[in-house]
Amino acid sequence: MTFLVEPEEGRFAIYESPLSADDKPRYGRVAVAPSPEAAAAYITYRQAAYWD
């Protein structure tokens, strides 16, 4: 599972590629955050939810 954060119209779009993608990432937009810190918090939460 990998993430990509891209600036988008003053916000930050978060894209995720699932583990099943292996070495060919298939990023899909999963969230939009108001700041880089909020994007990082979302990613931390998402990873914790997945691995627990």
Side-chain angles (χ1 to χ4, degrees):
M1 174 184 314
T2 57
F3 294 90
L4 179 66
V5 177
E6 293 285 333
E8 181 181 280
E9 298 177 6
R11 299 177 297 170
F12 296 85
I14 304 164
Y15 297 86
E16 177 182 325
S17 183
L19 284 173
S20 62
D22 294 324
D23 61 342
K24 296 178 183 175
R26 294 186 322 261
Y27 289 102
R29 186 174 171 193
V30 294
V32 176
S35 69
E37 295 81 12
Y42 173 85
I43 292 168
T44 299
Y45 170 78
R46 179 70 181 98
Q47 288 174 325
Y50 180 82
W51 296 113
D52 284 345

